[in-house]
Amino acid sequence: MQRIALIGAGRIGRIHAANVAAHADLELAYVIDPNTDAAAAIASSHGATVADLDGALGDASIVGVIVASSTDTHLDFSLHAAAAGKAVFCEKPIDLDLARAKDAAPRFESFGARLFLAFNRRFDPSFRALKQRLHAGAVGALETLHITSHDPAPPPAGYIPVSGGLFKDMAIHDFDMARWLLGEEPSEVFATGACLVDPEIGRLGDIDTAKTILRTPSGKLCVISNSRRSGYGYDQRIEAFCAKGALRAGNVTETTVETWTETGAQADQFQNFFLDRYAAAYRAEMAHFADMLTRGAAPEVGYEDGVAALALATAAQESMRRGAPVFL
Amino acid sequence: MQRIALIGAGRIGRIHAANVAAHADLELAYVIDPNTDAAAAIASSHGATVADLDGALGDASIVGVIVASSTDTHLDFSLHAAAAGKAVFCEKPIDLDLARAKDAAPRFESFGARLFLAFNRRFDPSFRALKQRLHAGAVGALETLHITSHDPAPPPAGYIPVSGGLFKDMAIHDFDMARWLLGEEPSEVFATGACLVDPEIGRLGDIDTAKTILRTPSGKLCVISNSRRSGYGYDQRIEAFCAKGALRAGNVTETTVETWTETGAQADQFQNFFLDRYAAAYRAEMAHFADMLTRGAAPEVGYEDGVAALALATAAQESMRRGAPVFL
Amino acid sequence: MQRIALIGAGRIGRIHAANVAAHADLELAYVIDPNTDAAAAIASSHGATVADLDGALGDASIVGVIVASSTDTHLDFSLHAAAAGKAVFCEKPIDLDLARAKDAAPRFESFGARLFLAFNRRFDPSFRALKQRLHAGAVGALETLHITSHDPAPPPAGYIPVSGGLFKDMAIHDFDMARWLLGEEPSEVFATGACLVDPEIGRLGDIDTAKTILRTPSGKLCVISNSRRSGYGYDQRIEAFCAKGALRAGNVTETTVETWTETGAQADQFQNFFLDRYAAAYRAEMAHFADMLTRGAAPEVGYEDGVAALALATAAQESMRRGAPVFL
Amino acid sequence: MQRIALIGAGRIGRIHAANVAAHADLELAYVIDPNTDAAAAIASSHGATVADLDGALGDASIVGVIVASSTDTHLDFSLHAAAAGKAVFCEKPIDLDLARAKDAAPRFESFGARLFLAFNRRFDPSFRALKQRLHAGAVGALETLHITSHDPAPPPAGYIPVSGGLFKDMAIHDFDMARWLLGEEPSEVFATGACLVDPEIGRLGDIDTAKTILRTPSGKLCVISNSRRSGYGYDQRIEAFCAKGALRAGNVTETTVETWTETGAQADQFQNFFLDRYAAAYRAEMAHFADMLTRGAAPEVGYEDGVAALALATAAQESMRRGAPVFL
């Protein structure tokens, strides 16, 4: 059994804790959080112990550390864990500051760190199947990509100022997805946004709606659509337009039940909560981390992927600010 | 231009008149109906003349006669037209009395009659494509068949006593469809029905809901589901279960518009009125009649098909009455 | 923690063992199987002990027994467990012999037995949502029901002679589903079947294809379609036709990916293996058993439900044999 | 009967001729085309006469003129017809040169011209239903719009140099659709394109793939996706994201037939040819022209709409050329 320490006892920490506990090769040993009640609740559910950071990192039996704390601490905790020789499972984003993230890269390298950056959507079975078929070439070479990524409802206003803004907080998933599917680094970003959902978000200096176009050197184009509130649930779709056809991954409904009445056929609502929609993805990424620990698998998503997605998000912010494309 | 006389100026007569008028090779010459106002309305729309039966049949320039009058007159008018040497386009059913229909067969033969029995659903593009693919063998040999045939709303109560009952009036379409797709004559019929929609229909001695199982000598099975009222529109579907897969033909929505809200995705209502749902089929069957007149095409559906469907409907009635399968 | 003994270390036993292990309130204590290797494999995965029946039933700390052994032993093992005062989770069917099952009923009663008969499909989220909406009355009163239940592929020929035949082995799920949804006991059964899939099944005296019509005293009708092999995957659908509309539960695809090419839009294959298709149902029925043990919940499906489903399956066999409806 | 002259006997001219002939209030009187064989073919099908322009415009009985000639003649023929006091039905686009089109506007006004600019997609039943529901407010205020408009296959290379380029030739439909649905004039256009389909198109100085973002003063955003070749048929979809939900209009399949096999469910191919896909729209726009002639209806799409769409197409070209947004 690979012994794991979890840093962060919030919503996403609880998910990771349960997936650690359910995995045959992993054992949750420590939970670390300044909110000791939250840490204790998770620890007691899974037979783990509440610890402080030094205690956990100092325990030589700990081989992996999950960083699920607040965004501004991702980088530091990951560095600490890497310095202690632990494999790191770090929640996205790696940081909100591109320069800081770039600067830290050599330190990770110097530790010989094995860091998995947990972009969960890469582990969604549908998106994964789409990528597989794309690369198997069934519909020819990829030309353009549409990613729709609309949240059911905006976060509490209090979160906006610490979120890093829509591009770094929300669209960063889509920038990672774009890189993963395009198979080529975007060299140009044009982004435009608006505050259409909640004026409070605008007052706080952020936007809630955005459309972004990425362009690669070979002319591949990717459109990303973001909204903080859909009005119809969690909308997570991808369309890949290729030389001989197209691939699409759609939304997931709660059940397969349809109601037919005189006004038409009503399908069930979409799985609405990201922890439901991506439950399989969270399990799969933990299984990947277990593979890293037990079989030495290389991380499917690394530090450099976190930096690259952050670079795109930063470029999108800059593009919107300047009202012009930004070249990378 | 092939000159046509239309007998019957009701709802279905109007449809056929318009399709005659729109066809490049056909010309509507006469309209015959005891209701001369109705006849005149159709005639004036399409540059035709109101006539009586003898006048129309006596006009040597008339090559085709459409029998779209009330069901109890189908047989007689068809015989008259055939006796006058005209090609006949006869609405379904050929008659409500199986013995009478069988008895008349030799007379049609003696006239060398060319009679097309207008089972419109055979000309529906989707059902036709299903049959084509079935016979092309893409999913292997047919094993069983499900036909769903539910009307949006029951006919007026006054129609029930002259309708011939649910099996002869409504399910007869499905018996024809079953024969057409099974490629083998059913040899056993079990039918059961109930009055669940409108008690008045029960008081008039009919049922409004039925499930029928047909069986062929080789063991192929067909289930037919009928209801006089669906509550959700006109439901006309076929599923063909085969050795290597299945084929399905579904309902047609009014438009492709979907509304996504928090309660799910609402597709548009089904095309609800049979004249809309089967508009293309009515056009296609008239084109087939034109082919009979201009190119000598053999009728795709003949008198014997009308008799065979009526025999199944009669057997279904008998099965329900006796509470046992009826063998043919 | 409620301690559980599992009788039967086959495919379905492994599923139940894993669901016991994953449930917060349950603990797998013993595994009993004449194949001690199989028993040991399951026991070691979940920290349980291989035991014999008397040892397990004699342990007063055991509160629940799962009977997942071969069908012919369901009744006896359930009786033993009930006699020992344990709550019983029994796999379907309760037995293959209706008289024997009826005879045993008083003994269960005399033990005050709490027996849950595990008709897993009642716990499928989609079928459950369908029933809920049906009973909430959103589309009015139920009139007729269509249950499609086609397996991806026939069982090995060797299983046919001990299976009890298609109606008792396979359709019994659908008879239970029909009773559950109709809300009224069927009073008439007409079944017809054929051997269209595999002649070997016919040589062994069974059928592989069947269509059954159930009728209730109030005239509600239910059609059940069974096939041992679909050619297109595991087909498990329900349509409920009601006074003001219809409800449908459809199949589940492996992923949401669609491939669009010149020949049309290809959706992903259906979840093909019953253990995948009903994974959530197996988890939910174990949660229900936990509720019985921890909170004294009454079994949602009881011994009498097993007898009633078996009575319908027996009537269907009799109907097919006699070529006539059977009245209950 | 309103007598009509048709200028242009090509593919789209034939469509309009047939729709004139089929309309109860319209009569095709003249067909004008330098290719007199083509003109004669259409004329003879519908009982019309081949004429020259002066002859047709000089006939006082002619009330409407359909301009379906090559794009570079739309403006001149429309002016001639308007000068002669005829109502004009002009194919899109009004012209390829924005300045020329703007310059001509006062002349149309001076003639008191009634010109209908035939943007057929506004008359598509699904897009029309989408707009209706959007404006009925069922899902709240429109925020953003996605228009997918991919052709099945590129035009012959010889057409590219006279087409005006992708934006004026193809995307102009989408610019019109965007204006119609946004309910607000776009004030900013960013377009980017590539030559990914056919290098010959690139050699001829055009692109075959484009993504465009429109922005309105209130911050509404519209994304338009264009491709000259889809690989999967004619793709014409709209998604309207609103405050309380979304509306979508999808593609139309040839039939409703689905094939279910072990690899999944295959839906039928999309209606692939624009004359099929928009057949109902072409009929409806002719009915609208008839309304203009018989009941004095105001044109639903006017000269100014043609100019506005051309302005957006011109801005998109400019944006792509400059690699920056263009403000209107």
Side-chain angles (χ1 to χ4, degrees), chain C residues 147-272:
Chain C
I147 299 175
T148 303
S149 178
H150 296 189
D151 277 352
Y159 174 70
I160 297 292
V162 300
S163 70
L166 180 140
F167 290 112
K168 289 182 180 172
D169 177 57
M170 180 184 179
I172 198 153
H173 277 295
D174 308 302
F175 291 126
D176 180 64
M177 188 57 67
R179 292 182 61 243
W180 189 51
L181 294 174
L182 285 169
E184 196 182 352
E185 292 296 324
S187 50
E188 185 185 336
V189 180
F190 177 78
T192 184
C195 187
L196 301 171
V197 170
D198 182 354
E200 182 63 17
I201 292 176
R203 273 192 290 277
L204 293 165
D206 201 0
I207 54 169
D208 49 35
T209 309
K211 309 286 175 183
T212 304
I213 298 178
L214 307 178
R215 187 188 178 94
T216 71
S218 73
K220 282 177 190 150
L221 302 171
C222 172
V223 175
I224 297 170
S225 177
N226 294 110
S227 171
R228 285 286 195 185
R229 179 268 295 122
S230 72
Y232 56 85
Y234 197 31
D235 189 1
Q236 300 280 302
R237 287 175 290 146
I238 297 176
E239 297 190 348
F241 299 103
C242 303
K244 294 177 183 168
L247 294 167
R248 300 152 45 82
N251 290 311
V252 180
T253 53
E254 292 278 353
T255 76
T256 66
V257 177
E258 285 180 28
T259 307
W260 286 12
T261 65
E262 282 184 359
T263 55
Q266 173 95 25
D268 213 0
Q269 68 265 37
F270 298 142
Q271 280 189 346
N272 210 15

Side-chain angles (χ1 to χ4, degrees), chain B residues 30-314:
Chain B
Y30 297 119
V31 183
I32 300 123
D33 197 298
N35 178 341
T36 49
D37 285 354
I42 292 180
S44 78
S45 294
H46 301 295
T49 307
V50 173
D52 64 10
L53 187 63
D54 291 343
L57 297 185
D59 180 340
S61 76
I62 296 297
V63 295
V65 172
I66 297 170
V67 178
S69 48
S70 63
T71 295
D72 59 330
T73 64
H74 286 181
L75 194 52
D76 281 347
F77 284 138
S78 292
L79 278 168
H80 271 79
K86 316 299 188 192
V88 181
F89 174 117
C90 181
E91 265 302 314
K92 59 106 281 211
I94 188 64
D95 200 63
L96 295 176
D97 186 280
L98 179 58
R100 218 171 85 93
K102 281 183 171 168
D103 286 352
R107 297 180 60 196
F108 278 99
E109 263 177 54
S110 73
F111 300 136
R114 299 177 65 226
L115 181 141
F116 166 58
L117 190 67
F119 275 120
N120 59 304
R121 294 183 197 175
R122 291 205 195 189
F123 293 84
D124 175 73
S126 292
F127 296 158
R128 226 168 160 83
L130 183 145
K131 180 173 163 80
Q132 207 164 33
R133 289 172 210 187
L134 188 60
H135 288 265
V139 288
L142 178 65
E143 293 172 356
T144 74
L145 196 64
H146 287 190
I147 299 175
T148 303
S149 179
H150 295 188
D151 277 352
Y159 175 70
I160 297 294
V162 300
S163 70
L166 178 141
F167 290 112
K168 289 182 179 171
D169 177 55
M170 181 183 177
I172 198 153
H173 278 294
D174 308 303
F175 292 126
D176 180 64
M177 188 57 66
R179 292 183 61 244
W180 189 52
L181 293 174
L182 286 168
E184 196 182 353
E185 291 296 325
S187 50
E188 185 184 336
V189 180
F190 177 77
T192 184
C195 186
L196 301 171
V197 171
D198 182 356
E200 182 63 15
I201 292 176
R203 273 191 290 276
L204 293 165
D206 200 1
I207 54 170
D208 49 36
T209 308
K211 310 285 176 184
T212 303
I213 299 178
L214 307 179
R215 189 188 177 94
T216 72
S218 74
K220 282 178 191 149
L221 303 170
C222 172
V223 174
I224 297 171
S225 177
N226 294 110
S227 170
R228 286 285 194 186
R229 180 268 294 121
S230 73
Y232 56 86
Y234 196 33
D235 189 1
Q236 300 281 302
R237 287 174 292 146
I238 297 176
E239 297 191 348
F241 299 104
C242 302
K244 293 177 184 167
L247 295 166
R248 301 153 44 83
N251 289 312
V252 180
T253 52
E254 292 278 353
T255 75
T256 66
V257 177
E258 284 180 29
T259 306
W260 287 11
T261 64
E262 282 184 359
T263 55
Q266 173 96 24
D268 213 1
Q269 68 265 38
F270 298 141
Q271 279 189 347
N272 211 14
F273 186 40
F274 75 98
L275 295 178
D276 292 336
R277 169 67 178 83
Y278 288 116
Y282 286 117
R283 281 196 298 272
E285 66 179 10
M286 194 55 69
H288 173 57
F289 191 52
D291 276 354
M292 286 172 56
L293 298 177
T294 58
R295 282 183 255 169
E300 280 203 24
V301 200
Y303 191 84
E304 66 288 0
D305 293 303
V307 172
L310 185 58
L312 289 172
T314 305

Side-chain angles (χ1 to χ4, degrees), chain D residues 13-63:
Chain D
R14 273 199 298 278
I15 297 295
H16 292 321
N19 286 334
V20 167
H23 196 285
D25 299 331
L26 305 181
E27 179 190 341
L28 188 67
Y30 298 118
V31 182
I32 300 123
D33 198 298
N35 178 339
T36 50
D37 285 353
I42 292 180
S44 79
S45 294
H46 301 294
T49 306
V50 174
D52 63 10
L53 185 64
D54 290 343
L57 297 185
D59 180 340
S61 75
I62 296 298
V63 295

